[in-house]
């Protein structure tokens, strides 16, 4: 180091000192890092006296074959520089490329560089939703019989994906680990991923949160049969109500035929076309010759076409309960017998009929 002196009051006094850097060592990045945002380039340096010279920071885009100036003439102490990794000394920095850093002292020509490339990654990962099982039915629903399952697939060609998080219906985010199913009904699925790039504060590239509505209905509708007609005995031409109540709204492409057990000849009644309805009715009119001690239904069938719920699941038309389970309706069209021929004998007040 060179020290200047001046003669002041008969004495030589030191005026200034130019410190010389004797050691300069880059400590970060040395190679292999994946950086994003603002990162700290760090180094250590020593000088022959207190203080220190200014140094330059250089950037290489070709694995150290050549360097350009990232920043010039900054103090060698305290040994840190906050670098916006989206910018080079000449303008915006290409994302996804590999780089090296070199420190250089223009006075002593000491330098220190990254021993390997590091990666600059300021691009968030991308995550897609995939259906692994499930059948898409009507109105955007997944229908039965299989419960739909889903995968989340993260891609990041630069630093790679760190983790993926998702939540269902606002229930709180959890880390995705394997294929998952969604509950019955209308669901809101949200998800995002993070990659391995990190800034000086430990913050990573985070994908914007995706949100998708997924509707699931894999359960076939069922039907129960009842009657609003009061309990009792009925004869021709009485009208008997028959009510079909489905477990969820259904739509039919044609009428529904209900076949009743009414003796030698089974009678039918026709339920009109239903559109997104849970209840359908028809009327059975008692005819001569009909008979049953407890009215019940033999079968329910679509005249043609189908009986479907909103998702396209086909209704199970085997009733979960029948008219006889909740009503006591007797059909009796046979007139009682009339005594028309015979001999009446009286004996002590008792009448005995003989034929």
């Amino acid at each position: 180091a060179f020290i200047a002196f001046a003669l002041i009051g008969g004495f030589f006094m030191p005026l200034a000192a130019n410190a010389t850097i004797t050691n300069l060592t880059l400590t970060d990045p040395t190679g292999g890092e994946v950086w994003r945002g603002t990162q700290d380039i760090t180094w250590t340096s020593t000088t022959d006296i207190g203080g220190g010279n200014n140094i330059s920071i250089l950037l290489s885009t070709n694995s150290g074959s050549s360097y350009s100036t990232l920043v010039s003439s900054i103090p060698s102490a305290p040994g840190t520089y906050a670098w916006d990794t989206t910018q080079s000394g000449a303008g915006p920095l290409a994302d996804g490329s590999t780089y090296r850093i070199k420190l250089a002292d223009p006075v002593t020509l000491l330098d220190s560089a990254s021993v390997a490339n590091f990666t600059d990654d300021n691009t968030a990962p991308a995550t897609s939703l995939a259906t692994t099982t499930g059948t898409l039915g009507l109105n955007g629903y997944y229908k039965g019989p299989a419960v739909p399952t889903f995968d989340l697939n993260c891609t990041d060609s630069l630093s790679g994906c760190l983790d993926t998080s998702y939540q269902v219906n606002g229930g709180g985010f959890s880390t995705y680990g394997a294929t998952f199913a969604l509950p019955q009904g209308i669901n809101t699925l949200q998800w995002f991923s993070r990659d391995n790039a990190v800034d000086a504060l430990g913050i990573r590239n985070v994908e914007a949160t995706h949100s998708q509505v997924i509707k699931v209905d894999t359960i076939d509708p069922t039907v129960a049969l009842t009657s609003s007609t009061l309990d009792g005995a009925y004869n021709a031409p009485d009208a008997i109500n028959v009510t079909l109540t489905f477990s969820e709204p259904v739509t039919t492409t044609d009428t529904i035929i209900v076949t009743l057990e009414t003796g030698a000849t089974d009678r039918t009644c026709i339920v009109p076309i239903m559109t997104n309805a849970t209840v359908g009715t028809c009327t059975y009119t008692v005819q001569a010759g009909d008979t049953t001690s407890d009215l019940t239904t033999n079968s329910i069938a679509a005249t043609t076409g189908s009986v479907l719920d909103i998702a396209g699941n086909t209704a199970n038309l085997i009733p979960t309960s029948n008219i006889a389970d909740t009503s006591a309706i007797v059909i009796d069209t046979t007139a009682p017998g009339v005594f028309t021929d015979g001999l009446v004998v009286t004996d002590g007040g008792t009448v005995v009929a003989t034929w």
Side-chain angles (χ1 to χ4, degrees), residues 333-353:
T333 61
T334 303
V338 179
F339 175 73
T340 59
D341 187 22
L343 176 66
V344 177
V345 179
T346 60
D347 181 12
T350 302
V351 177
V352 180

Side-chain angles (χ1 to χ4, degrees), residues 35-258:
W35 277 8
R36 67 164 301 277
T38 298
Q39 266 286 7
D40 291 332
I41 299 171
T42 61
W43 64 90
T44 60
S45 64
T46 55
T47 59
D48 55 354
I49 61 175
N53 291 342
N54 287 350
I55 62 173
S56 296
I57 302 177
L58 311 177
L59 177 69
S60 174
T61 61
N62 54 14
S63 300
S65 296
S66 62
Y67 287 87
S68 61
T69 300
L70 179 63
V71 59
S72 62
S73 191
I74 64 170
S76 60
T80 183
Y81 174 74
W83 172 40
D84 178 358
T85 62
T86 65
Q87 299 293 318
S88 69
L93 197 62
D95 197 29
S97 298
T98 56
Y99 302 97
R100 296 191 187 193
I101 290 292
K102 178 189 283 187
L103 307 177
D105 177 8
V107 176
T108 64
L109 302 183
L110 287 174
D111 62 38
S112 179
S114 307
V115 297
N117 294 332
F118 66 92
T119 302
D120 185 40
D121 177 7
N122 285 286
T123 301
T127 309
S128 60
L129 176 69
T131 304
T132 54
T133 61
T135 302
L136 197 60
L138 302 177
N139 302 301
Y141 276 83
Y142 285 93
K143 68 175 186 176
V147 174
T149 56
F150 303 90
D151 279 333
L152 292 171
N153 301 311
C154 177
T155 57
D156 188 299
S157 61
L158 302 179
S159 60
C161 298
L162 175 66
D163 55 30
T164 298
S165 299
Y166 73 105
Q167 71 170 354
V168 179
N169 299 327
F173 281 95
S174 59
T175 302
Y176 167 75
T179 300
F180 60 93
L182 293 177
Q184 301 287 318
I186 300 176
N187 302 284
T188 299
L189 176 66
Q190 294 177 293
W191 70 92
F192 66 88
S193 295
R194 302 186 301 166
D195 66 14
N196 289 299
V198 65
D199 66 11
L201 299 177
I203 300 172
R204 302 179 183 276
N205 293 314
V206 181
E207 179 181 19
T209 300
H210 300 266
S211 183
Q212 184 169 330
V213 174
I214 299 176
K215 298 184 285 187
V216 179
D217 180 357
T218 61
I219 300 173
D220 293 340
T222 58
V223 62
L225 276 166
T226 57
S227 176
S228 62
T229 300
L230 296 177
D231 292 347
Y234 293 87
N235 196 355
D238 293 336
I240 308 298
N241 165 266
V242 176
T243 298
L244 283 67
T245 302
F246 288 87
S247 58
E248 59 180 302
V250 297
T251 296
T252 65
T253 55
D254 203 343
T255 56
I256 297 175
I257 301 174
V258 180

Side-chain angles (χ1 to χ4, degrees), residues 261-263 284 290-296 329-332:
E261 173 55 57
T262 54
Y284 154 53
D290 292 355
T291 181
T292 179
S293 61
D294 197 357
L295 183 63
T296 191
I329 297 174
V330 177
I331 306 299
D332 183 2

